[in-house]
Amino acid sequence: QVQLQESGPGLVKPSQTLSLTCAVSGGSVRTGTYYWTWIRQHPGKGLEWIAYINYSGSTYYKPSLKSRLTISLDTSKNLFSLKMTSVTAADTAVYFCVKEDRGGLNGLDVWGPGTTVTVSS
Amino acid sequence: DIQMTQSPSSLSASVGDRVTITCRASQDITNYLAWFQQKPGKAPKPLIYAASRLHGGVPSRFSGSGSGTGFTLTIISLQPEDFATYYCQQYINYPYTFGQGTRLEIK
């Protein structure tokens, strides 16, 4: 059973780069049918899909955020990461790492507990 | 992007009631529709995928239906642990999008 655990800085200053990591256990990031995803939730708001990366390194970013995002995979450590540049207060949110299973229409079937990111000076 | 619209935005009900939440997509998503339950301070919990299939461990009082642009989530015989916020989500096209959520409260 795959489990995910996010880690992040908690507090980031405006204009800096946010780096988040998701450790994967109980499964391999090299599994062909899994897409590794980031989703965020602004305080008191709904859910926003951000980006994915798959086992071959293919990526897709939400167009409105694409210029500031880089998602990557570390197969040696079995984790994936997200970097977001030039953060502002609007990036304050809980960030979830999520496994999408493309193998059987299962969708976003495993979620990490989330990590809170606050952008403030 | 595909827009997902849920109704109602909030709902009050009692333990034992039957409730239905509706989700509408701005274009045909066939059955690429999921439902999630979220409680305060927790990650969303997957309930339903492919519009009507329950994830493992989800009680059978939850059911989903619909295809194309119109979908429903029904909960029969509400239990105390069911009071939460529910989201629908399309996964036919990236970027995936979610409904705005339906908050289910105890009457």
Short mmCIF file of all heavy atoms in Angstrom, two decimals, chain A residues 40-48, chain B residues 38 85 87 99-100:
data_model
loop_
_atom_site.label_atom_id
_atom_site.label_comp_id
_atom_site.label_asym_id
_atom_site.label_seq_id
_atom_site.Cartn_x
_atom_site.Cartn_y
_atom_site.Cartn_z
N ARG A 40 -2.91 21.75 -4.27
CA ARG A 40 -2.88 22.64 -3.12
C ARG A 40 -4.28 23.13 -2.75
O ARG A 40 -5.20 23.06 -3.56
CB ARG A 40 -1.95 23.83 -3.35
CG ARG A 40 -2.42 24.84 -4.38
CD ARG A 40 -1.38 25.95 -4.52
NE ARG A 40 -1.80 26.94 -5.52
CZ ARG A 40 -1.08 28.02 -5.84
NH1 ARG A 40 0.10 28.25 -5.24
NH2 ARG A 40 -1.52 28.88 -6.75
N GLN A 41 -4.37 23.63 -1.52
CA GLN A 41 -5.64 24.12 -1.01
C GLN A 41 -5.38 25.40 -0.24
O GLN A 41 -4.75 25.37 0.83
CB GLN A 41 -6.31 23.07 -0.12
CG GLN A 41 -7.70 23.43 0.34
CD GLN A 41 -8.41 22.26 0.99
OE1 GLN A 41 -7.81 21.43 1.66
NE2 GLN A 41 -9.72 22.16 0.78
N HIS A 42 -5.88 26.51 -0.77
CA HIS A 42 -5.74 27.77 -0.09
C HIS A 42 -6.59 27.76 1.18
O HIS A 42 -7.59 27.04 1.26
CB HIS A 42 -6.14 28.93 -1.01
CG HIS A 42 -5.24 29.11 -2.18
ND1 HIS A 42 -5.57 28.73 -3.45
CD2 HIS A 42 -3.97 29.60 -2.25
CE1 HIS A 42 -4.57 29.00 -4.27
NE2 HIS A 42 -3.58 29.53 -3.57
N PRO A 43 -6.22 28.55 2.18
CA PRO A 43 -6.95 28.52 3.46
C PRO A 43 -8.45 28.71 3.29
O PRO A 43 -8.90 29.71 2.70
CB PRO A 43 -6.32 29.68 4.22
CG PRO A 43 -4.95 29.82 3.66
CD PRO A 43 -5.08 29.48 2.20
N GLY A 44 -9.20 27.74 3.76
CA GLY A 44 -10.66 27.83 3.70
C GLY A 44 -11.25 27.71 2.31
O GLY A 44 -12.44 27.97 2.13
N LYS A 45 -10.44 27.29 1.35
CA LYS A 45 -10.90 27.24 -0.05
C LYS A 45 -10.90 25.82 -0.60
O LYS A 45 -10.63 24.86 0.13
CB LYS A 45 -10.00 28.14 -0.91
CG LYS A 45 -9.96 29.59 -0.48
CD LYS A 45 -11.31 30.26 -0.60
CE LYS A 45 -11.21 31.74 -0.25
NZ LYS A 45 -12.55 32.39 -0.29
N GLY A 46 -11.15 25.73 -1.90
CA GLY A 46 -11.21 24.44 -2.56
C GLY A 46 -9.84 23.95 -3.00
O GLY A 46 -8.80 24.49 -2.62
N LEU A 47 -9.84 22.92 -3.81
CA LEU A 47 -8.64 22.21 -4.22
C LEU A 47 -8.19 22.64 -5.61
O LEU A 47 -9.01 22.79 -6.52
CB LEU A 47 -8.92 20.70 -4.19
CG LEU A 47 -9.27 20.17 -2.80
CD1 LEU A 47 -10.05 18.87 -2.90
CD2 LEU A 47 -8.00 19.98 -1.99
N GLU A 48 -6.88 22.79 -5.76
CA GLU A 48 -6.29 23.23 -7.03
C GLU A 48 -5.22 22.26 -7.47
O GLU A 48 -4.19 22.10 -6.78
CB GLU A 48 -5.70 24.64 -6.88
CG GLU A 48 -5.07 25.18 -8.15
CD GLU A 48 -4.41 26.54 -7.94
OE1 GLU A 48 -4.08 26.88 -6.79
OE2 GLU A 48 -4.23 27.26 -8.95
N GLN B 38 -13.68 15.40 2.68
CA GLN B 38 -12.62 16.04 3.44
C GLN B 38 -13.14 16.55 4.78
O GLN B 38 -14.16 17.23 4.84
CB GLN B 38 -11.99 17.21 2.67
CG GLN B 38 -10.75 17.77 3.36
CD GLN B 38 -10.09 18.89 2.59
OE1 GLN B 38 -10.74 19.67 1.89
NE2 GLN B 38 -8.76 18.99 2.71
N THR B 85 -16.94 17.95 4.17
CA THR B 85 -17.07 18.62 2.89
C THR B 85 -16.77 17.63 1.77
O THR B 85 -15.84 16.84 1.88
CB THR B 85 -16.12 19.84 2.80
OG1 THR B 85 -16.44 20.76 3.84
CG2 THR B 85 -16.26 20.54 1.46
N TYR B 87 -16.16 16.95 -2.43
CA TYR B 87 -15.72 17.55 -3.68
C TYR B 87 -15.87 16.54 -4.82
O TYR B 87 -15.53 15.36 -4.66
CB TYR B 87 -14.24 17.94 -3.61
CG TYR B 87 -13.92 19.05 -2.65
CD1 TYR B 87 -13.50 18.76 -1.35
CD2 TYR B 87 -14.00 20.39 -3.04
CE1 TYR B 87 -13.20 19.78 -0.45
CE2 TYR B 87 -13.69 21.42 -2.14
CZ TYR B 87 -13.29 21.09 -0.86
OH TYR B 87 -12.97 22.11 0.02
N GLY B 99 -14.86 20.63 -8.13
CA GLY B 99 -15.96 21.47 -7.76
C GLY B 99 -15.58 22.31 -6.56
O GLY B 99 -14.57 22.06 -5.90
N GLN B 100 -16.43 23.27 -6.24
CA GLN B 100 -16.12 24.20 -5.15
C GLN B 100 -16.37 23.60 -3.77
O GLN B 100 -16.00 24.18 -2.76
CB GLN B 100 -16.92 25.50 -5.31
CG GLN B 100 -18.37 25.41 -4.84
CD GLN B 100 -19.31 24.78 -5.85
OE1 GLN B 100 -18.90 24.11 -6.80
NE2 GLN B 100 -20.60 25.02 -5.64
#
